Amino acid sequence: MKRISQHLIATALAVALGACATSPTGRSQMLLYSDAQLAQMGDQAFASMKEELTISNKRVQNSYVNCVADAIVAQVPSEVFGGEWEIVVFDDEQVNAFALPGGKIGVYTGLLNVAENQHQLAAVIGHEVGHVIANHGNERMSQSAVIGVGSEVVGQVLEQQEVAGSSAIMGAIGLGVQVGVQLPFSRTHESEADIIGLQLMAKSGFNPAQSVNLWQNMDAASSGERPMELLSTHPAPQTRIDNLKANMAPAMADYRAAPVYPSCE
């Protein structure tokens, strides 16, 4: 048992030390998966969604979303994705959108009822593309893989030492990891994607100040039905608004210097 634990620990440390990277905002990251692996996962997930969800056939709606998304992805570095992005509008009342590695973007029609103009839609799409640029999917999966190995080691030690109530202790460790590591980590990703998205929309010619209006709309649309920030994977709307405002000056400079101002509406 001891030999197995030592092997797991050594493996986890070796993998983690060999997978260090830096996010666009300068934050240290651990990335265990290759770009090709992530792109393949993104392709598979997107294909499944297109089979399971209804795709909008409204020409004007599709043209509008594609216009905004095309302007945003034009700012994505080629090393992140250099191919043609696939953009799909799903006929669904969810107030949401997403972007996947491998150049995939999905926008739910419910979002168009909350994002009141092209600038606010650009804020959402920019945010989602920001997750891809910052390798957040890779980072989350890598973290989960290492946590899984660590939890297995702790469980073996407890079992080996015949610690009373070991199952309860493992449950507490799981909750501690979720609240102490995974949830703050997710909130860090959301805040980082907000800043990257702010830069993307500004350089694309969309007014970054509208990102604040977007989150005010999001807050109103939620009707106060949110978990407290400590137990949420997303920062509270006011936290996001404060973060956006703190980074607004350089975004406005990028906006004023943008070579093109899209007219998608």
Side-chain angles (χ1 to χ4, degrees):
M1 184 70 70
K2 182 178 180 181
R3 184 178 299 172
I4 294 174
S5 298
Q6 290 174 336
H7 174 71
L8 285 169
I9 292 172
T11 300
L13 287 173
V15 171
L17 290 173
C20 293
T22 304
S23 78
T25 62
R27 183 177 54 81
S28 296
Q29 296 177 293
M30 178 180 63
L31 306 177
L32 303 182
Y33 300 90
S34 70
D35 290 343
Q37 288 174 308
L38 268 292
Q40 183 178 22
M41 293 177 196
D43 288 345
Q44 292 172 346
F46 204 59
S48 295
M49 295 189 74
K50 288 191 293 184
E51 290 179 359
E52 296 169 4
L53 298 176
T54 302
I55 297 176
S56 172
N57 58 6
K58 296 179 180 178
R59 185 183 60 82
V60 173
Q61 196 175 66
N62 277 273
S63 177
Y64 170 53
V65 171
N66 275 266
C67 177
V68 174
D70 285 343
I72 293 291
V73 300
Q75 300 297 323
V76 175
S78 59
E79 59 267 25
V80 174
F81 183 73
E84 184 176 350
W85 287 72
E86 183 179 2
I87 302 154
V88 174
V89 181
F90 293 104
D91 192 0
D92 191 290
E93 288 306 306
Q94 288 188 59
V95 182
N96 209 351
F98 63 88
L100 298 173
K104 311 295 182 184
I105 292 176
V107 174
Y108 296 98
T109 53
L111 175 63
L112 304 180
N113 298 323
V114 178
E116 296 177 340
N117 54 51
Q118 64 176 16
H119 308 284
Q120 293 181 21
L121 179 59
V124 178
I125 294 176
H127 169 93
E128 298 302 332
V129 172
H131 281 305
V132 175
I133 291 175
N135 280 305
H136 289 161
N138 193 339
E139 195 174 5
R140 282 193 295 268
M141 290 193 302
S142 300
Q143 181 202 41
S144 296
V146 171
I147 287 174
V149 172
S151 297
E152 185 176 348
V153 170
V154 174
Q156 289 180 359
V157 171
L158 291 174
E159 182 179 347
Q160 182 180 354
Q161 300 299 324
E162 298 181 350
V163 176
S166 60
S167 61
I169 293 173
M170 285 302 295
I173 290 172
L175 179 61
V177 167
Q178 183 184 27
V179 175
V181 179
Q182 290 177 325
L183 291 180
F185 205 49
S186 295
R187 292 196 294 270
T188 296
H189 285 173
E190 291 300 313
S191 296
E192 192 169 56
D194 279 346
I195 301 310
I196 298 171
L198 195 68
Q199 296 168 343
L200 285 174
M201 68 179 296
K203 291 179 180 180
S204 302
F206 297 105
N207 186 353
Q210 282 289 319
S211 62
V212 172
N213 300 98
L214 168 74
W215 284 106
Q216 290 169 339
N217 294 348
M218 288 285 198
D219 193 21
S222 70
S223 302
E225 297 176 0
R226 294 188 311 275
M228 64 179 182
E229 187 168 4
L230 174 64
L231 298 177
S232 173
T233 59
H234 290 59
Q238 189 57 51
T239 301
R240 303 186 90 139
I241 289 170
D242 292 343
N243 187 36
L244 289 165
K245 286 181 176 179
N247 290 273
M248 192 60 67
M252 289 302 298
D254 286 337
Y255 174 55
R256 287 190 290 268
V260 177
Y261 296 98
S263 180
C264 298
E265 293 174 306

